[in-house]
Amino acid sequence: MHYVGVDLGATNVRAVVGDGDATILGSAKRPTPRGPTGIAVTEAVLGVVREACAEAGVDPATVAAAGVGSIGPLDLAAGVVENPANLPDAIDRIPLTGPLSELLDTDEVHLHNDTNAGVIGERFHADRNPDDMVYLTISSGVGAGVSVDGNVLAGWDGNAGEVGHMTLDPHGFMRCGCGSDGHWEAYCSGNNIPRYARELHAEDPVETSLPVDDPDFSAKDVFDAAGDDDFADHVVAQVAHWNAMGLANVIHAYAPLVVSVGGAVALNNPELVLDPVREQLSEMVFINLPEIKLTDLGDEVVVKGALASALTGGTGDRSRL
Ligand SMILES: [Zn+2]
């Protein structure tokens, strides 16, 4: 039996083909089309699936099941992405479940938002296959996939877990990309860390080696200067403070045993991002403190989660293999 996992991201679309043990036999990747319409993105998805199948020597029509981890927002009932926030406006609707079912000749196509595919992958590959865990991504945005009592929380339309839009700062110092003020992701995502640093510096223009006025000023500049520049240390500490507060809210809401963290900001700076958060959480969390770990799956967490979903009926529960 063969299974397919698909990761539809704003930058790349990738697919893997695996066997019944989740061993990857073929994979393919290409840039996500920027248009002209959503159909072009659907074609790219079908294209990488065909390529991955060819590499694995598998006829697509014999695939048993597929999982998809996708950018949102999703319309789960229709099996589509609807008006994706991170692609050009001309891309309004990306059909996924229907075309994949047709190509693979199976009704077993499980569609998830990317963080839910992430938690399914983390759960599937974790030592004890825990029922209660959270996958948190800190990358161009902040979001979570949550499994509680063995149920991966999707919400009626598939969009549960948008924790990056929780309000953390009632003063609303920073405006979020969604238009509201004070949201977690407005302070801590890779795109917003340099904006936040610039605003902090405008409030208190201390001496710094950081190129705060340079249009190319990036989160990487901030993390690279940490340890050598007092202002960079201050920004890193502020970001850690908001991350700890957001994570404390998530822990209190869902009582996970493990929180696995991924996304480029965390993967590139694990000590600077996670160590101070672990330290602060012990003071901030009132219930049992979960293990806070960096994902072992790197930037393949979504596509491996999508494959794990295909193998386990959309759950990541290894007892269903
Ligand atoms: Zn927001």
Side-chain angles (χ1 to χ4, degrees):
M1 294 274 255
H2 295 104
Y3 301 84
V4 162
V6 174
D7 171 7
L8 172 55
T11 313
N12 290 303
V13 46
R14 45 172 123 187
V16 295
V17 175
D19 64 10
D21 300 323
T23 303
I24 291 175
L25 308 171
S27 63
K29 175 176 159 179
R30 57 173 84 163
T32 305
R34 311 290 296 169
T37 66
I39 301 300
V41 181
T42 303
E43 292 294 343
V45 168
L46 299 178
V48 289
V49 170
R50 282 194 201 94
E51 270 175 58
C53 284
E55 190 183 295
V58 170
D59 175 359
T62 66
V63 167
V68 183
S70 174
I71 50 170
L74 302 179
D75 179 339
L76 214 50
V80 305
V81 182
E82 200 72 73
N83 298 313
N86 297 319
L87 287 174
D89 286 347
I91 296 181
D92 49 356
R93 190 178 168 90
I94 306 171
L96 291 172
T97 308
L100 278 167
S101 290
E102 208 160 297
L103 173 67
L104 304 174
D105 194 22
T106 173
D107 291 334
E108 282 273 307
V109 178
H110 303 277
L111 177 60
H112 312 277
N113 72 33
D114 42 17
T115 51
N116 275 5
V119 76
I120 289 167
E122 291 296 327
R123 184 180 183 212
F124 182 86
H125 289 282
D127 286 345
R128 285 170 298 164
N129 195 217
D131 282 350
D132 300 284
M133 73 184 289
V134 169
Y135 170 69
L136 178 75
T137 178
I138 309 176
S139 100
S140 50
V142 172
V146 179
S147 174
V148 177
D149 302 335
N151 301 303
V152 177
L153 305 185
W156 72 272
D157 55 357
N159 296 310
E162 289 282 4
V163 298
H165 301 281
M166 292 198 305
T167 302
L168 297 185
D169 175 11
H171 302 295
F173 182 69
M174 292 297 293
R175 172 151 297 177
C176 186
C178 73
S180 294
D181 296 331
H183 289 180
W184 182 354
E185 134 176 346
Y187 301 76
C188 299
S189 74
N191 295 343
N192 286 322
I193 287 170
R195 281 182 58 231
Y196 181 39
R198 214 172 263 144
E199 292 295 323
L200 286 172
H201 195 258
E203 285 236 310
D204 183 13
V206 295
E207 201 171 310
T208 176
S209 64
L210 291 181
V212 286
D213 296 321
D214 187 327
D216 294 331
F217 175 46
S218 69
K220 183 176 188 302
D221 295 327
V222 175
F223 288 110
D224 286 352
D228 299 321
D229 183 282
D230 288 346
F231 179 67
D233 288 341
H234 174 61
V235 175
V236 168
Q238 289 302 304
V239 167
H241 165 72
W242 297 119
N243 277 333
M245 191 185 285
L247 210 40
N249 289 345
V250 170
I251 291 164
H252 286 126
Y254 301 116
L257 202 58
V258 183
V259 177
S260 182
V261 186
V265 173
L267 289 167
N268 294 334
N269 314 283
E271 288 88 16
L272 290 169
V273 172
L274 292 187
D275 288 353
V277 167
R278 279 194 200 96
E279 244 164 64
Q280 292 176 46
L281 278 176
S282 56
E283 302 285 312
M284 295 168 91
V285 171
F286 164 76
I287 61 173
N288 284 317
L289 206 56
E291 178 193 356
I292 312 285
K293 65 183 281 275
L294 193 70
T295 175
D296 297 324
L297 305 179
D299 67 353
E300 297 195 309
V301 59
V302 174
V303 78
K304 286 188 169 168
L307 180 62
S309 164
L311 279 150
T312 59
T315 65
D317 180 354
R318 283 204 302 261
S319 70
R320 294 179 54 143
L321 277 179

